[in-house]
Amino acid sequence: MKALITVAALLLVLGLGFFLYSSPATSPEMTETEIAQIEAEVNQVLDDLMAAWNAEDLEGSLAPFDSEELLVRWAADIDDGPQAFRARMVDIWERALEWEGDWDYRHVKVISPTSALFIGSYEVTVSFAGGNTRSWHPEWTSLLERTDSGWRIILANHVFDEAVLVEEG
């Protein structure tokens, strides 16, 4: 019995060794050109997002968030999935008459060929029905994933400062 266990253990070790030997090696380090290309692609997603917000294009503003893995922390609330995030954005857009935003700063850190981290801040001024206009400078951190349909935000954390009343209606 002891000999059988020894043979089985030896076969297991040999099988594991063969598996590890025959497995493909990890991909080599990414080149600076590949990193720059991914940074440019992610920055284009962010530019398109801001343009969609400013054009009051709801579908365009939701496109980068179209991932079943989406989890968004929005101030003190959490939106789990694209439907919850869509509901929040529809609510905001129904109350907003005008939306004007621009990036204060942004930084993209490439993690792998299929993932990148974005950290940034934007200024947004929103005019609401009733005449109130408010301005914010939210801090934003997001994890993006490359999919067959482009880069998608799968995790986002928005930290809002206190809104400044620009105009009272």
Side-chain angles (χ1 to χ4, degrees):
M1 184 68 164
K2 187 176 180 183
L4 184 59
I5 293 173
T6 303
V7 169
L10 181 60
L11 288 174
L12 179 65
V13 169
L14 287 173
L16 181 60
F18 177 75
F19 173 77
L20 293 174
Y21 177 77
S22 63
S23 296
T26 57
S27 60
E29 204 56 39
M30 295 176 61
T31 66
E32 287 185 29
T33 302
E34 291 170 323
I35 292 170
Q37 176 64 36
I38 291 171
E39 288 172 346
E41 291 170 4
V42 170
N43 276 310
Q44 186 62 57
V45 168
L46 298 169
D47 286 342
D48 293 348
L49 176 60
M50 188 62 69
W53 281 341
N54 288 334
E56 300 174 29
D57 173 6
L58 178 62
E59 295 307 315
S61 71
L62 291 172
F65 298 92
D66 187 20
S67 170
E68 290 304 316
E69 290 84 31
L70 180 66
L71 184 64
V72 177
R73 178 179 173 264
W74 189 276
D77 300 320
I78 301 238
D79 296 333
D80 191 356
Q83 294 79 16
F85 186 69
R86 170 181 280 280
R88 175 181 303 280
M89 293 307 292
V90 165
D91 178 60
I92 291 170
W93 286 65
E94 286 176 349
R95 292 181 290 125
L97 300 176
E98 185 179 345
W99 178 295
E100 184 179 334
D102 197 9
W103 296 109
D104 290 328
Y105 72 90
R106 58 188 183 190
H107 177 74
V108 175
K109 172 72 174 169
V110 177
I111 299 170
S112 76
T114 60
S115 61
L117 181 66
F118 157 72
I119 298 170
S121 176
Y122 59 97
E123 177 182 9
V124 61
T125 302
V126 181
S127 298
F128 293 97
N132 287 341
T133 300
R134 298 187 180 276
S135 181
W136 294 267
H137 287 269
E139 297 288 328
W140 186 11
T141 304
S142 290
L143 179 63
L144 292 93
E145 173 181 66
R146 181 181 289 182
T147 68
D148 290 340
S149 54
W151 286 94
R152 295 293 179 253
I153 296 168
I154 60 170
L155 180 65
N157 182 36
H158 286 82
V159 179
F160 286 85
D161 59 354
E162 189 168 327
V164 174
L165 183 62
V166 176
E167 185 178 324
E168 191 169 5

